[in-house]
Amino acid sequence: MAAINSFVSQRIPLFKKSPITLIDSSSSFRKEHQETRPTKNLVRSIVRRRKWGVRSAIDDQELVRLEENRLKDGEQSLSLDGSEKIEASSSSFNEEKGAVEVLKGFSGRAVNATIVLGVGTLLVTRLLTIDHELWHGWTLYEVLRYAPEHNWIAYEEALKTNPVLAKMMISGIVYFLGDWIAQCYEGRPLFEFDRARMIRSGLVGFTLHGSLSHYYYQFCEVLFPFKDWWVVPVKVAFDQTVWSALWNSIYYVVLGILRAESMADVYSELKSTFWPMLTAGWKLWPFAHLITYGVIPVEQRLLWVDCVELIWVTILSTYSNEKSEGRISESSTGENDASSISRPDKD
């Protein structure tokens, strides 16, 4: 028993000094190595001491701290690498998108310029070459002098042979040009017009305005067959109430259908623009229709009206497309707000 006590008393100082030695070795290790990752020697020494039963709480804490730092550094480097990759990919995507938009805008302007120059060249050529069969020995002055007269004669002959088609062609051209003027008035460059919008407007003028106007003026003469002076203001009043209300409604409804809008949106647009457009027409058309019903013959009225329509179609198209673009922007804003509300927070 005495031998056991003496052996234990000799071994106790070793157990008391070991923590001090380990603290010194670990502190010197921290001074020599400032890296956050634990070295293999440190791990091996701690594991070796654990096998021999020599435990040091400070060594355990140090190992845990270094391991946590290593994991944090790995996460930070991973997040930095990911953010850099995301930023690089987003910047490259934006650059590619910008290049595609520039190329698309250039190609669109080229197509628009080709359309304008082609149609303009065709019209001018047809007008100037109306009597090319008679050009034998003519000078340029004679060609330019007789071209307007002969074009007018050709127009009157077309009115006799096929009046509806002739008036449809004129109305289609006028509504096509009127929408182009409206887009330029809204601030678009000359060759950056919306082709689909112009085609829709020209289609409405060709299919509906020319034919309906032809029959309307015939009906108006049947409805008011008198030749007295008071008939002119009566026809103007009837035109600016019944016919204007009917045509404005047809124009907005058909344009909305061609834009693939819902009937609710079409009705909302018609409801909000019906009265303002009707009263806006009273500032222009009563004065023009004093000439329409007082001076111009029945068969020539649509040509005169279409000349004034270049101004009126500009107003109509501007009103219609402002309402449509306003609804589109409101709907996109509402969708963005709804998506931001429905998106859960990630914090």
Side-chain angles (χ1 to χ4, degrees), residues 109-303:
R109 287 192 296 270
V111 172
N112 292 342
T114 303
I115 293 174
V116 171
L117 294 177
V119 173
T121 303
L122 179 62
L123 291 177
V124 172
T125 303
R126 291 296 300 271
L127 292 175
L128 293 178
T129 60
I130 186 65
D131 49 6
H132 64 281
E133 298 177 354
L134 306 175
W135 278 2
H136 300 290
W138 283 23
T139 63
L140 180 60
Y141 171 75
E142 290 175 336
V143 172
L144 296 177
R145 175 186 175 184
Y146 291 107
E149 180 182 353
H150 293 168
N151 278 287
W152 182 258
I153 294 173
Y155 172 68
E156 288 184 336
E157 291 178 355
L159 289 179
K160 293 177 182 179
T161 57
N162 199 341
V164 178
L165 181 60
K167 294 174 182 179
M168 288 171 64
M169 294 291 294
I170 293 174
S171 293
I173 294 172
V174 166
Y175 271 70
F176 188 84
L177 294 177
D179 188 81
W180 186 24
I181 296 172
Q183 294 189 41
C184 294
Y185 177 76
E186 293 169 7
R188 289 177 178 266
L190 190 62
F191 294 122
E192 293 185 5
F193 52 85
D194 187 353
R195 293 189 298 273
R197 171 178 161 180
M198 289 179 61
I199 291 172
R200 287 193 297 264
S201 181
L203 188 62
V204 172
F206 175 76
T207 57
L208 296 175
H209 185 263
S211 57
L212 293 178
S213 296
H214 169 77
Y215 293 110
Y216 162 70
Y217 290 123
Q218 298 289 340
F219 171 75
C220 194
E221 290 299 313
V222 174
L223 186 63
F224 304 102
F226 309 102
K227 301 297 180 180
D228 297 330
W229 65 269
W230 54 267
V231 176
V232 174
V234 170
K235 289 180 179 179
V236 172
F238 181 79
D239 187 287
Q240 288 302 292
T241 53
V242 179
W243 171 244
S244 292
L246 178 62
W247 172 245
N248 289 345
S249 302
I250 293 173
Y251 180 82
Y252 281 108
V253 170
V254 174
L255 274 186
I257 294 174
L258 292 177
R259 286 195 294 256
E261 296 179 352
S262 64
M263 293 307 298
D265 291 338
V266 173
Y267 175 75
S268 176
E269 178 183 348
L270 179 62
K271 183 178 179 181
S272 61
T273 58
F274 178 81
W275 182 251
M277 291 305 303
L278 187 64
T279 55
W282 295 346
K283 302 175 183 178
L284 172 66
W285 284 112
F287 305 99
H289 282 323
L290 290 175
I291 300 175
T292 303
Y293 297 104
V295 179
I296 308 298
V298 178
E299 291 298 326
Q300 310 294 342
R301 285 176 183 174
L302 186 59
L303 180 62

Side-chain angles (χ1 to χ4, degrees), residues 15-45:
F15 282 93
K16 290 181 178 180
K17 292 179 181 181
S18 59
I20 299 173
T21 306
L22 291 175
I23 292 173
D24 293 337
S25 63
S26 62
S27 62
S28 63
F29 174 81
R30 288 198 304 272
K31 291 180 181 180
E32 292 176 357
H33 303 279
Q34 297 295 329
E35 297 181 355
T36 57
R37 296 183 179 180
T39 60
K40 294 181 180 180
N41 295 329
L42 177 61
V43 176
R44 289 175 181 175
S45 62

